[in-house]
Amino acid sequence: MLRTAFACAVLLLGAGLGAGWLTHGFQVWTAEGARRLEVLQRPIDVPAVPVQGPGVAARDLHDLLAGGQQVTIVDFIYTHCESLCLSLGNTYQQMQAALQATGKDTGVRLLSVSFDPQRDTVEQLLSHAKRMKADPAVWRFVRVPGEPELQRVLDRFQVVIVPDGRGDFQHNAALLVVDAQGRLVRIFDIAEQQLALDYARHLAAGGEL
């Protein structure tokens, strides 16, 4: 009887320790929550991979995000998408309008990164930007032409894309805030666009992480 009680106690202790490790001290209960907490605790450097985009002169993604003393909200899209990316586009249009409404440079920029370089050429991105009424002073589009380099970016931002075999992709989506040093510092849901915008403004104004 005593031996059984001791074994149960050991099992419960082991389960508790395992749950504590998996949930970062019982702070999060989903993989997405763990991802966000990890970024919050340890900002992630954006890789210096070559990018191309209409009106984009930067040699690589890190230079683009870290070279202008600006805070950038990044999302990942492909221009043939007719579902989730349209929601992201609508969200970006609203954030662009909010930034323009201030009548001054807030130090916050928007960037959409295509993960479909085969179809999203620079010309296609320019056409898409015009359809979305993107102001290039606020909202830019880029592609990562090399497949290995694109995978590095997706891995670093923990973006998951799965081809569906019909020319489209299943993918996750979020609003990713990159500080002026080119580090991913916070992740927000699409529905948290106001929080993302307020946080980016806070950083751009010199606020702490």
Side-chain angles (χ1 to χ4, degrees), residues 73 90-92 94-99 101-102 108 110 175 177 186 188-202:
I73 302 175
N90 183 54
T91 295
Y92 265 44
Q94 293 176 35
M95 290 196 294
Q96 174 179 264
L99 292 170
T102 65
V108 176
L110 308 175
L175 304 174
V177 179
R186 286 289 292 273
F188 293 90
D189 281 330
I190 300 175
E192 297 174 321
Q193 68 182 76
Q194 190 60 53
L195 285 176
L197 198 54
D198 289 345
Y199 183 69
R201 285 170 167 162
H202 163 75

Side-chain angles (χ1 to χ4, degrees), residues 26-80:
F26 301 100
Q27 297 181 77
V28 295
W29 293 94
T30 65
E32 181 63 18
R35 170 196 181 210
R36 295 180 184 200
L37 181 60
E38 288 171 359
V39 167
L40 182 62
Q41 294 174 337
R42 290 183 294 276
I44 297 172
D45 287 332
V46 173
V49 299
V51 292
Q52 301 169 337
V56 173
R59 292 179 302 174
D60 61 57
L61 185 59
H62 189 273
D63 280 351
L64 179 63
L65 295 173
Q69 302 299 313
Q70 295 154 349
V71 176
T72 307
I73 302 175
V74 179
D75 71 352
F76 286 81
I77 56 112
Y78 66 108
T79 63
H80 287 73

